[in-house]
Amino acid sequence: MKANLTPFISSQDARSQAEFYSHALGGEIQSTITFGEIPGTPEENKDKVMYMAMTVAGGNDLFLSDSFGPVSTSDGIAFALSFDDEAEAREAYANLGKGGTDKYPFVMQPWGAYYGEVVDKFGITWQIVKQGK
């Protein structure tokens, strides 16, 4: 079996979250479909994002949509980004942490890689890695 796995985030505000990620990780929104494009959508939901595709951190796909109810996050899920360049990894860690929480500092680990965890202001946990040498 072969498939592509793409993170899909249900958000309280998909547009703001996507803009945050595009600045934090260097990315761009590729397409947006709103619920207003679906016939019969109630007026109060027409501006909500049904589907947004974006690329981040050098071409990784990330999808978002607006939720119609409260969104909860889980400690059991994290997005991992592995960088070749230490400066880029540090920048991503710092950018994603703006308004969020440093969960584990970005430092050299005993296994020979830099590693850190940060929870962004939307409650998403990011694991940032820069492999040794």
Side-chain angles (χ1 to χ4, degrees):
M1 179 182 300
K2 180 173 173 19
N4 290 325
L5 178 65
T6 303
F8 197 110
I9 299 172
S10 184
S11 177
Q12 291 298 135
D13 185 351
R15 285 182 179 89
S16 292
Q17 197 163 356
E19 186 170 319
F20 176 77
Y21 293 146
S22 70
H23 291 295
L25 298 172
E28 126 180 57
I29 296 169
Q30 302 297 320
S31 65
T32 303
I33 298 171
T34 65
F35 283 98
E37 296 175 53
I38 307 300
T41 297
E43 192 62 38
E44 65 271 12
N45 294 329
K46 287 191 175 194
D47 288 336
K48 284 189 167 280
V49 173
M50 182 172 79
Y51 172 84
M52 180 182 289
M54 67 180 304
T55 56
V56 295
N60 296 284
D61 292 327
L62 181 62
F63 299 157
L64 297 98
S65 68
D66 282 324
S67 173
F68 285 96
V71 173
S72 63
T73 58
S74 169
D75 285 337
I77 297 173
F79 296 153
L81 289 173
S82 182
F83 290 86
D84 292 329
D85 183 81
E86 182 184 340
E88 288 179 351
R90 287 187 182 284
E91 180 181 8
Y93 181 87
N95 289 343
L96 288 167
K98 291 178 183 168
T101 305
D102 292 338
K103 192 171 179 183
Y104 190 84
F106 186 78
V107 296
M108 178 59 81
Q109 300 300 316
W111 61 84
Y114 285 92
Y115 174 85
E117 282 187 42
V118 62
V119 180
D120 71 29
K121 66 183 181 179
F122 299 99
I124 303 295
T125 299
W126 295 85
Q127 297 175 340
I128 308 298
V129 178
K130 191 299 183 183
Q131 295 299 330
K133 299 194 177 46

